[in-house]
Amino acid sequence: MASASFVEIISHFAGYLRIFEDIARDRVQYDETLAPGPSGDYTTLRPNYHHRYAPEDMDSAAGLVPELIADDPMDLIRGRPLKLLKGPQDPDFDFFPTPLKPNIVLPSAGGGGGGGGGSELNIRVKYEDGGAEIQLTVHQYNFMHDEDFNLPADFLVAAEPLIMSLNSNAMATIEQLVANANAEVPTDWQMPQNDAGVTDFLKAHDAAWADRDGTPDENSVPAGYYVNGELQEPPTEPRPPAELKELPDTGDGIGQWASMGGNYSINAALLLDVGEGARTMVVLGDYFKTDAMFQTNTTIDNDQVSVSGGEGTPSVTSEGNVATNIANFVQNPSIYADLPSYWAGPNWIVDVVDGDYYSVNAVTQTNYLSDNDVATQVSSEGHYNLVGGHNQLGNLAQIFDGDIQYDLIIIEGAYHGMNVIFQNNILLNNDNIVMSADGADPSQSVSSGHNKLLNEGAIENYGGDTFDVLTPGLQQILDLLAAGVTSIDPELGSLIAGNGGPLRVLYVKGDYYDINAVWQTNITSDINVLYQLQNEPSADLMALEADGGVTQSATTGGNELANDAAIVDVNPDVIYVDGHIYTDSILVQANLLPVDQDDAVNGDTDTLVTELIAFVDDTQDQTNASPAVVTNSVQADPMASVLH
């Protein structure tokens, strides 16, 4: 069940766009030495007369040991902390401000060459094992069966075989609709929904891509904002938050009200991947990067409505269904675009990975709702309100993958990157409604449409679009690190952008797999069979009604299915590639209305409503025939053949 606060959170992930920029800023390391304060600050340090040594102890107690000279020789010439100004300069900021780049004259290297060195101020390199890898699979499932019967007790025995046939045919229809949706996804893009499966898929995909010399996919599109297959300008205002529908206020008048739709299913996922947010990446093999989205909405809503015996023209609405696919491919500037760069520093820490490196996230979210209801309402006097829908299912996943640990990422093999989103909504909403009045002349209304299906996906890349060839200086650094040297000429540090502190390096001796994959599926079967018979109220009761009116109302539509997914991928500022570069964006969007399946369950609903009317008519002379409310038993594992 989704609460109002839940929907407020997942309707859009407000604030996630700038989180990682704060992370990048926080990596700027500050010198902790005491710096002068503003001239307007006249507070001075007061003397402390409470020493731990008394005069008589001076002969036996030694004084404090002076602090050791810092390992970092740059500490001797640093000024105040290296700090990025985020706003206007403080008017009292009249002490010596640090320039954006430290004004440091690097010592000349002694005749020790690139890696050895006779200078005591050479860059020191420390090697450590491994790096923080991730191979994550998340599965979120909601299964709900809410098949309700509001029937006369004597009719249950006769109706049970018909109801079983209806549910069985509904499941077979759902299976076919799932197959239709899967057919919209190209066969070469179908993959297992787990971290191992997507990794194996990407290996084969990139190998085939290289074999065809980088030819783009047949569904390749330029980056942009797409609505139902059309490239459009993105909206200037965010989409309003989703709101849960409340049950209508039916008052306390005479009549019959049935609310048998209004189900709400939503999947929401946010993946924030900042692990590759280094300033520099070097790839000695090929570079592959693919962003892809596949979105389908499938709707069957073939309703049969019969209204008779009321006052005037009844209001019957069976249309108004809306299906929307929204895909947004966004390329943003690097998170370092407005940040200063620094010398790589005198201390390098290199994490070495022997073999392939994996940063893989696979998230699967599924909601399945079966809300097939069979009901009758027979009354003459009183307020009869029947609710058989308004179920709520929701999955929420927010995954923050790592943090910005490295300034430089070196990959001896190939880089394989993929962000992919699969979204499917499937709705079966065939209704059979018979509304009748016997002498009451009620106001009659039926609404069996107004279903909404929405897929919204966004893949936002920050950086990762600036490529360059490998320079001789970078090649020299790579050769030295590959040889395991522990001392490097400080002049080589100017070739790599640092953050003001120790330079963190990830050295991968194999391939690098950077994958974010999301699958979101909503399946709702909302088949309703309803017979309403409003008999004439007594004259005395009608005299008590202020407006003297009788109402018959049935609502069997208004279902909402929504998928919302965002992948935010923070990439390196600059990527040096020694091999080939392959990049692509792929999009498939489809709204399916399978007319060949429109009547798939109508034979069952026709039979049920015909039998129900005949039974009610036969029992009209019987008094106090109270309905029985029964919940259908759930078949064993009905979803086994639906999910793939």
Side-chain angles (χ1 to χ4, degrees):
M1 172 101 36
S3 66
S5 59
F6 176 76
V7 174
E8 183 179 353
I9 293 172
I10 61 183
S11 59
H12 260 296
F13 305 100
Y16 74 83
L17 291 176
R18 315 310 294 185
I19 294 174
F20 40 81
E21 290 203 0
D22 293 336
I23 297 174
R25 293 179 188 277
D26 289 343
R27 294 197 72 242
V28 177
Q29 299 186 6
Y30 303 137
D31 194 326
E32 300 298 332
T33 57
L34 184 62
S39 59
D41 183 3
Y42 296 103
T43 302
T44 60
L45 297 176
R46 312 313 301 165
N48 179 13
Y49 298 103
H50 300 285
H51 295 290
R52 50 189 264 188
Y53 299 103
E56 56 269 24
D57 296 331
M58 293 297 290
D59 293 336
S60 58
L64 295 175
V65 178
E67 294 183 358
L68 297 176
I69 297 177
D71 291 336
D72 187 351
M74 303 304 295
D75 284 343
L76 301 176
I77 53 177
R78 280 200 181 108
R80 64 173 285 98
L82 300 176
K83 185 174 183 181
L84 179 66
L85 296 179
K86 301 183 179 179
Q89 198 172 32
D90 191 317
D92 292 332
F93 190 73
D94 55 358
F95 48 83
F96 302 103
T98 302
L100 290 180
K101 293 186 177 180
N103 185 17
I104 298 175
V105 179
L106 297 177
S108 58
S119 171
E120 296 181 358
L121 296 182
N122 277 357
I123 295 173
R124 290 167 296 182
V125 184
K126 178 182 178 182
Y127 296 89
E128 298 179 351
D129 291 333
E133 301 183 55
I134 182 170
Q135 292 173 275
L136 176 66
T137 297
V138 176
H139 286 170
Q140 295 179 314
Y141 296 110
N142 287 313
F143 299 101
M144 178 181 289
H145 289 264
D146 185 33
E147 286 107 358
D148 300 323
F149 311 143
N150 191 61
L151 300 170
D154 295 341
F155 184 65
L156 282 176
V157 176
E160 185 174 0
L162 300 176
I163 294 172
M164 294 293 291
S165 176
L166 171 64
N167 289 335
S168 176
N169 288 333
M171 179 59 67
T173 303
I174 290 293
E175 292 178 5
Q176 184 59 49
L177 299 182
V178 171
N180 293 344
N182 288 337
E184 294 297 317
V185 179
T187 55
D188 57 350
W189 270 96
Q190 297 181 5
M191 66 190 79
Q193 299 178 13
N194 55 66
D195 60 287
V198 297
T199 303
D200 292 339
F201 164 82
L202 190 58
K203 291 179 181 179
H205 172 272
D206 289 351
W209 196 0
D211 289 341
R212 63 176 188 266
D213 297 326
T215 302
D217 190 275
E218 61 179 347
N219 296 300
S220 178
V221 297
Y225 183 84
Y226 294 84
V227 179
N228 292 334
E230 298 293 331
L231 180 62
Q232 301 182 7
E233 287 295 324
T236 57
E237 297 293 331
R239 183 168 54 85
E243 295 183 359
L244 294 178
K245 292 183 177 179
E246 296 183 358
L247 286 171
D249 183 4
T250 60
D252 55 5
I254 299 173
Q256 299 167 342
W257 291 262
S259 182
M260 304 174 71
N263 298 296
Y264 187 86
S265 294
I266 186 168
N267 294 305
L270 167 63
L271 273 66
L272 177 56
D273 183 4
V274 301
E276 291 71 44
R279 286 186 178 269
T280 308
M281 175 181 283
V282 178
V283 182
L284 299 182
D286 293 334
Y287 179 94
F288 300 89
K289 181 64 178 292
T290 304
D291 294 330
M293 278 189 264
F294 304 90
Q295 301 172 318
T296 67
N297 290 310
T298 305
T299 307
I300 293 183
D301 187 19
N302 187 11
D303 302 324
Q304 298 172 286
V305 180
S306 174
V307 181
S308 62
E311 179 182 6
T313 303
S315 172
V316 178
T317 303
S318 58
E319 298 179 350
N321 296 322
V322 178
T324 308
N325 291 309
I326 300 174
N328 197 11
F329 297 93
V330 184
Q331 179 61 57
N332 296 298
S334 165
I335 62 173
Y336 299 101
D338 298 326
L339 295 179
S341 61
Y342 303 93
W343 178 58
N347 296 296
W348 292 11
I349 302 173
V350 182
D351 291 342
V352 180
V353 177
D354 290 319
D356 297 335
Y357 185 91
Y358 298 92
S359 174
V360 183
N361 298 290
V363 178
T364 300
Q365 298 176 315
T366 302
N367 291 315
Y368 175 79
L369 171 63
S370 180
D371 184 32
N372 304 325
D373 301 329
V374 181
T376 180
Q377 288 180 290
V378 180
S379 62
S380 58
E381 301 178 357
H383 181 92
Y384 194 164
N385 190 14
L386 174 66
V387 178
H390 286 266
N391 300 290
Q392 299 168 8
L393 291 80
N395 290 309
L396 170 63
Q398 298 186 72
I399 297 176
F400 293 175
D401 178 9
D403 52 17
I404 302 176
Q405 297 188 38
Y406 299 105
D407 305 288
L408 171 63
I409 298 177
I410 300 171
I411 305 169
E412 286 190 355
Y415 170 85
H416 303 270
M418 179 179 69
N419 298 311
V420 61
I421 297 174
F422 298 88
Q423 296 176 319
N424 297 281
N425 289 314
I426 297 173
L427 174 64
L428 175 59
N429 187 216
N430 284 10
D431 302 317
N432 198 320
I433 303 168
V434 176
M435 183 179 290
S436 180
D438 185 6
D441 293 333
S443 171
Q444 297 172 312
S445 64
V446 176
S447 176
S448 60
H450 295 286
N451 300 294
K452 296 181 181 179
L453 286 73
L454 172 65
N455 291 313
E456 185 167 5
I459 298 177
E460 299 207 22
N461 283 285
Y462 282 76
D465 58 343
T466 301
F467 298 93
D468 206 342
V469 297
L470 197 62
T471 64
L474 277 177
Q475 184 62 63
Q476 183 180 2
I477 293 175
L478 300 182
D479 293 341
L480 293 173
L481 294 180
V485 300
T486 58
S487 180
I488 294 179
D489 188 332
E491 291 187 357
L492 293 177
S494 62
L495 302 179
I496 299 175
N499 61 53
L503 188 80
R504 298 294 308 221
V505 181
L506 176 64
Y507 194 107
V508 179
K509 294 187 176 181
D511 290 349
Y512 193 114
Y513 294 92
D514 178 19
I515 305 173
N516 298 297
V518 179
W519 290 264
Q520 295 179 319
T521 302
N522 289 306
I523 300 175
T524 297
S525 176
D526 183 31
I527 302 171
N528 300 293
V529 178
L530 174 65
Y531 176 44
Q532 284 184 336
L533 175 59
Q534 176 66 52
N535 293 316
E536 184 177 7
S538 66
D540 293 340
L541 181 61
M542 292 299 296
L544 297 176
E545 288 294 316
D547 56 4
V550 178
T551 301
Q552 277 185 295
S553 173
T555 302
T556 58
N559 299 289
E560 293 192 26
L561 289 72
N563 292 310
D564 195 348
I567 297 175
V568 181
D569 195 3
V570 182
N571 303 288
D573 187 27
V574 180
I575 305 172
Y576 295 90
V577 182
D578 199 35
H580 295 90
I581 300 173
Y582 306 93
T583 61
D584 201 1
S585 298
I586 299 169
L587 177 63
V588 173
Q589 293 179 319
N591 290 320
L592 307 178
L593 300 171
V595 295
D596 59 323
Q597 298 289 320
D598 273 359
D599 301 326
V601 297
N602 285 2
D604 297 302
T605 61
D606 286 342
T607 303
L608 262 171
V609 77
T610 301
E611 294 289 336
L612 187 55
I613 293 171
F615 181 86
V616 171
D617 289 345
D618 290 342
T619 57
Q620 276 298 285
D621 293 335
Q622 303 178 15
T623 60
N624 300 325
S626 60
V629 179
V630 181
T631 301
N632 187 24
S633 59
V634 179
Q635 300 181 22
D637 197 15
M639 291 297 296
S641 58
V642 175
L643 299 177
H644 56 84

